[in-house]
Amino acid sequence: MRGIERIILESNTFKLVSREYQNESSVIKLNNGYKIGDKKIAVIAGPCAVENKKQLFECVEFVKNAGASVIRGGAFKPRTSPYSFQGLEKKGLELLALVREKTGLPVITEVMCPENVDLVASYADILQIGTRNMQNYPLLKKVGKVNKPVLLKRGMSATIEELLLSAEYIVSNGNSRVILCERGIRTFETMTRNTLDLSIIPIVKSLSHLPIVVDPSHATGKRELIEPMAKAAVAAGADGIMVEVHPNPDDALVDGKQSLGHADFYKLMHGLIPVVRAVGREI
Ligand code: PEP
Ligand code: MN
């Protein structure tokens, strides 16, 4: 047309993570061959924070025998207060590597800044980006260049589109192994720590090929709500759950109120079986 020199197409939405780009659901293969996003529901379990060897190993032995497929444990902890326990840092990573050696199970742990990505990636099987860092773009770009899967938690005030755009940062930087995680969002409700947005599961499933897991511990802040919300997540189509477990939840240094004791974790695993079967999946 007269007066138009050229047209520049600019997109501000996600592409590589969309179903339009790839219709088939992604199955994320860990370096040890374990898969997330296939028929089997992933159960990621372990303490909020690695506190010491005894706590971690007691917990891991229990959750492994009860059927957990991935071990979680924070070494670098993003705490609201600077006076709270900040994690064992490198020592925590070393303990997690020992856990993998001893159990053969993959381990996931959080990385909070670009400078620590190579260090954490040298110990962990999956890198966790926490809710507070979902829009830390230098961090997203850096984990996009690493050859390890990334579990990306939804920002506590982020829309679903913003979560998918953050995933797009990782994938467009070269790392296609992204697992999304709903961990509750901030609302006016005070009875729970956050509000679990279950509707994200079918929405993400229709918009994106990436797998999505649900963290009912951080979503509710209350251990008695973990089992019903985990069941609801599986019923709604989640590819897995991430649950905090501690040998003595009432003595936990971090997030004890939303951590299951061993007996309750066992009960959860059994309680999930009929729901998992009802949706045609396995555990
Ligand atoms: C965690 O998984 O321990 C954690 C800090 O989670 P979030 O980033 O969802 O608060
Ligand atoms: Mn926690």
Side-chain angles (χ1 to χ4, degrees):
M1 284 171 69
R2 252 173 72 101
I4 297 181
E5 189 181 300
R6 64 189 168 122
I7 296 170
I8 300 169
L9 289 175
E10 194 197 90
S11 171
N12 57 3
T13 193
F14 50 87
K15 292 197 262 278
L16 303 176
V17 304
S18 78
R19 280 254 184 230
E20 279 167 30
Y21 179 80
Q22 180 190 311
N23 189 37
E24 193 191 333
S25 295
S26 284
V27 175
I28 308 299
K29 252 199 202 160
L30 310 193
N31 290 0
N32 69 351
Y34 185 83
K35 292 178 192 147
I36 296 184
D38 68 351
K39 203 168 180 202
K40 204 168 166 214
I41 299 287
V43 178
I44 305 169
C48 178
V50 178
E51 296 172 13
N52 54 61
K53 190 171 176 183
K54 184 170 177 287
Q55 168 247 16
L56 181 65
F57 276 68
E58 265 180 47
C59 185
V60 164
E61 182 166 313
F62 190 87
V63 296
K64 184 187 174 180
N65 290 336
S69 37
V70 180
I71 301 298
R72 65 151 289 146
F76 292 93
K77 293 301 303 174
R79 304 305 306 283
T80 302
S81 165
Y83 307 115
S84 303
F85 176 58
Q86 304 284 311
L88 296 183
E89 304 187 337
K90 188 157 183 281
K91 174 84 191 137
L93 298 177
E94 288 164 4
L95 289 173
L96 288 167
L98 262 181
V99 161
R100 181 189 33 241
E101 208 176 284
K102 199 165 168 251
T103 62
L105 291 181
V107 298
I108 174 169
T109 196
E110 178 160 354
V111 59
M112 295 199 294
C113 58
E115 303 77 54
N116 280 350
V117 167
D118 292 332
L119 172 74
V120 176
S122 70
Y123 288 95
D125 298 286
I126 308 174
L127 303 176
Q128 176 174 323
I129 305 287
T131 192
R132 294 161 185 81
N133 277 313
M134 187 205 84
Q135 289 178 311
N136 179 340
Y137 300 117
L139 180 60
L140 300 178
K141 287 178 186 172
K142 179 77 187 172
V143 298
K145 298 196 165 68
V146 163
N147 183 25
K148 288 277 165 88
V150 177
L151 181 135
L152 177 65
K153 292 188 123 186
R154 180 180 185 179
M156 60 184 86
S157 301
T159 64
I160 296 170
E161 186 176 27
E162 286 164 345
L163 171 66
L164 290 169
L165 282 165
S166 288
E168 185 86 11
Y169 262 91
I170 302 172
V171 176
S172 64
N173 275 277
N175 187 352
S176 60
R177 289 190 289 173
V178 178
I179 303 144
L180 304 170
C181 178
E182 161 67 28
R183 49 76 72 203
I185 49 175
R186 283 222 166 150
T187 68
F188 51 79
E189 183 53 69
T190 55
M191 291 274 184
T192 48
R193 182 175 175 183
N194 291 289
T195 296
L196 176 57
D197 178 13
L198 282 175
S199 63
I200 191 176
I201 303 163
I203 292 173
V204 157
K205 289 284 167 199
S206 75
L207 294 178
S208 173
H209 53 83
L210 296 178
I212 179 163
V213 305
V214 167
D215 171 352
S217 289
H218 291 88
T220 65
K222 292 186 170 173
R223 75 174 70 111
E224 62 275 20
L225 299 182
I226 293 176
E227 183 172 337
M229 292 300 97
K231 287 175 172 167
V234 171
D239 297 295
I241 53 164
M242 180 191 241
V243 180
E244 291 186 331
V245 182
H246 193 283
N248 307 297
D250 292 330
D251 299 329
L253 293 181
V254 192
D255 284 350
K257 285 195 173 65
Q258 61 186 44
S259 299
L260 293 179
H262 290 169
D264 283 338
F265 181 72
Y266 192 77
K267 190 173 157 284
L268 166 70
M269 291 301 283
H270 277 264
L272 281 174
I273 294 170
V275 185
V276 167
R277 289 202 182 128
V279 292
R281 299 188 76 163
E282 291 165 7
I283 191 163

